[in-house]
Every structure is written in structure tokens, then in C-alpha cells.
């Protein structure tokens, strides 16, 4: 995933990382952004207490979100690739909040006969495309 020639962009975020990798928010965010996986890493390097990795399944884009272990809720974000995954996650999380923090029972998935995958909230007319897997 991370290669020597990658030159990630650095930014900061105040979105709590744990809130997007567990519970209803994680379910909603996953349905909004599609083909992404995540992993948690404790003490990955000096000065970083923990890191959340997020990457596309094809490994073309990734983000690492670091916490230094302090009491502040500001995280360092490193992103690389054509997609800005953490920005997508922040937008998906905001969408989830704006829609009343829906649980999994309000989501659906439709696969058409031509192979298109569409996720939706409450009704089919509130749908968005997902990349087809495999």
C-alpha cells in the first residue's frame, strides 16, 4: 500500500476516528464511500500513540490518521492517491449526522441486472452508486 515514492499530503482533522470505524456511523460511512477497508495500529512509531489506516481495495488511495496520545481531539491526517479518503469519510459522516444518524435497518442495497450496485437510505429514490466488487 504505502510505497517509497508516495508523497502524502498532510492536514488535520477533529473527527473522532473511533466514531467512523464502529457502530452505526461506520455502517453508514461504509455504504457512502464503498470500496474501502480500515485497520487500527497501536504505537506505530515514536510520537504516535495510535493510527487509523484507510485504503481503497485496489490500493490506489490511502489515508493514515494519527493521534499523539494527548488530550486534544486534533488528529494528523496523511493522504495519498487520486481519492482523498479522509475527506470522503468526513463528508459521509456529516451526511449521516444530517440524516438523523440512521441505523443499519434504514439502509438497503440493490443490484441491477446489468451489475450496477446502488445503496439507499429509506427509499430507492434516495440512492447512490457503489463500485461493483470483484
Amino acid at each position: 500500500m504505502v510505497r517509497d515514492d508516495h508523497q502524502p499530503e498532510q492536514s488535520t482533522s477533529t473527527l473522532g476516528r473511533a466514531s467512523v470505524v464502529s457502530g452505526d456511523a461506520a455502517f453508514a460511512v461504509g455504504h457512502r464511500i464503498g470500496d474501502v477497508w480500515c485497520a487500527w495500529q497501536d504505537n506505530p512509531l515514536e510520537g504516535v500513540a495510535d493510527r487509523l489506516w484507510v485504503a481503497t481495495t485496489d490500493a490506489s488511495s490511502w489515508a493514515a490518521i494519527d493521534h499523539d496520545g494527548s488530550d486534544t481531539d486534533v488528529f494528523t491526517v496523511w493522504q495519498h492517491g487520486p481519492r482523498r479518503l479522509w475527506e470522503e469519510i468526513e463528508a459521509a459522516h456529516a451526511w449521516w449526522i444530517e440524516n438523523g444518524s440512521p441505523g443499519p435497518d434504514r439502509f438497503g442495497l440493490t443490484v441491477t441486472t446489468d451489475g450496477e450496485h446502488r445503496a439507499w437510505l429509506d427509499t430507492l429514490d434516495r440512492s447512490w452508486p457503489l463500485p461493483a466488487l470483484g
Side-chain angles (χ1 to χ4, degrees):
M1 174 176 70
V2 178
R3 298 187 181 103
D4 290 339
D5 63 334
H6 288 179
Q7 298 295 318
E9 294 178 15
Q10 181 182 354
S11 62
T12 59
S13 177
T14 58
L15 177 61
R17 297 141 326 125
S19 68
V20 298
V21 296
S22 64
D24 291 349
F27 186 85
V29 167
H31 270 69
R32 291 294 293 178
I33 63 174
D35 62 337
V36 172
W37 60 266
C38 65
W40 199 272
Q41 187 179 20
D42 290 323
N43 302 308
L45 51 107
E46 188 174 333
V48 178
D50 55 71
R51 172 177 282 168
L52 171 64
W53 286 100
V54 182
T56 55
T57 55
D58 68 2
S60 64
S61 297
W62 58 265
I65 303 84
D66 293 343
H67 187 248
D68 63 9
S70 69
D71 290 337
T72 64
D73 289 332
V74 177
F75 308 100
T76 302
V77 178
W78 305 92
Q79 297 186 88
H80 177 77
R83 290 175 64 183
R84 292 294 173 250
L85 293 179
W86 191 248
E87 292 167 23
E88 288 184 28
I89 289 169
E90 287 177 321
H93 188 267
W95 173 89
W96 177 69
I97 296 291
E98 291 165 7
N99 282 280
S101 307
D105 59 325
R106 291 182 52 199
F107 287 87
L109 177 66
T110 300
V111 180
T112 65
T113 56
D114 63 356
E116 180 186 21
H117 293 73
R118 295 193 69 80
W120 44 270
L121 177 63
D122 296 325
T123 62
L124 290 172
D125 62 331
R126 296 182 65 194
S127 70
W128 56 92
L130 288 175
L133 299 176

